[in-house]
Amino acid sequence: QYAVVHKQHTIYDMQGAALGVHVKHVADAQFQPIRARQHVAGSNNAVAKVFKVTDSKQEITLGDSIVPKPSLLDLSTVTLTVADSQQGYIVGGVSTRTRWSRGDVVVMDVGQQQTRPGMVFGIYAPDSTLTHLGKTYSQPQLKQGDLVVIATFATTSFGVIVNANSTIQRGAQLRAP
């Protein structure tokens, strides 16, 4: 089973380096082996790569890609655990918005080596400083909410915001709740 995906946007870390590409699932496809015709010049009975679209959610356009369909997460095996030494940032979302709230799915710059589905992180406001009369003061970090990891990849993870006290922005820090 394969998925046809359409590139949505590139996800960048806090320093501007590309972490990956967010894609949208537009259709399902199955591989259909078809033998080449014998009378075609130079044919050696090779198998052509042909895919049959089995379910379409929107139009497939030039530039869309076919990738192996990922397996679904079995929620019965997921247990909630609290992040302890893991830290990271919210670097984006499943859309190009830069502000999120409760129920939104966000992208974290923490990969599958450091986290797993079910891990709970606290969300803290980005570092901010205040300068007054030449002196710089750093404000205490304010907890904005919590998120639960729902999917992990090599360099990023998806998390759903389950609690939010205020609007959460790109750059919010993730660490132990």
Side-chain angles (χ1 to χ4, degrees):
Q1 193 71 324
Y2 292 85
V4 180
V5 295
H6 179 76
K7 178 182 175 182
Q8 294 292 103
H9 59 277
T10 303
I11 299 166
Y12 298 95
D13 67 11
M14 297 308 294
Q15 290 74 39
L19 290 173
V21 176
H22 180 256
V23 295
K24 181 178 182 181
H25 177 215
V26 296
D28 291 329
Q30 282 184 315
F31 178 67
Q32 298 286 310
I34 298 176
R35 294 220 170 258
R37 295 185 180 175
Q38 293 292 331
H39 68 277
V40 177
S43 175
N44 60 353
N45 261 353
V47 176
K49 292 185 179 179
V50 176
F51 290 87
K52 176 183 176 185
V53 174
T54 57
D55 183 31
S56 180
K57 290 148 185 44
Q58 77 177 49
E59 181 180 6
I60 299 170
T61 59
L62 186 64
D64 289 349
S65 301
I66 297 175
V67 297
K69 194 170 185 179
S71 59
L72 295 176
L73 176 65
D74 181 9
L75 293 177
S76 66
T77 63
V78 174
T79 57
L80 294 179
T81 57
V82 177
D84 47 27
S85 63
Q86 298 87 345
Q87 293 187 6
Y89 294 94
I90 292 178
V91 294
V94 294
S95 68
T96 56
R97 292 183 309 162
T98 58
R99 296 173 190 246
W100 303 277
S101 189
R102 182 175 173 213
D104 287 333
V105 176
V106 294
V107 181
M108 315 159 37
D109 68 350
V110 181
Q112 62 191 9
Q113 296 291 344
Q114 300 167 308
T115 189
R116 64 179 187 279
M119 189 169 282
V120 179
F121 283 88
I123 304 170
Y124 296 85
D127 283 335
S128 57
T129 57
L130 176 67
T131 304
H132 180 67
L133 300 173
K135 285 189 168 183
T136 302
Y137 304 93
S138 61
Q139 294 180 316
Q141 288 202 318
L142 301 173
K143 185 169 181 187
Q144 294 183 292
D146 299 294
L147 73 75
V148 176
V149 176
I150 57 173
T152 60
F153 306 97
T155 58
T156 61
S157 298
F158 285 173
V160 64
I161 299 171
V162 294
N163 179 26
N165 303 328
S166 61
T167 303
I168 296 165
Q169 297 182 21
R170 174 179 157 80
Q173 294 183 357
L174 301 171
R175 58 181 182 178

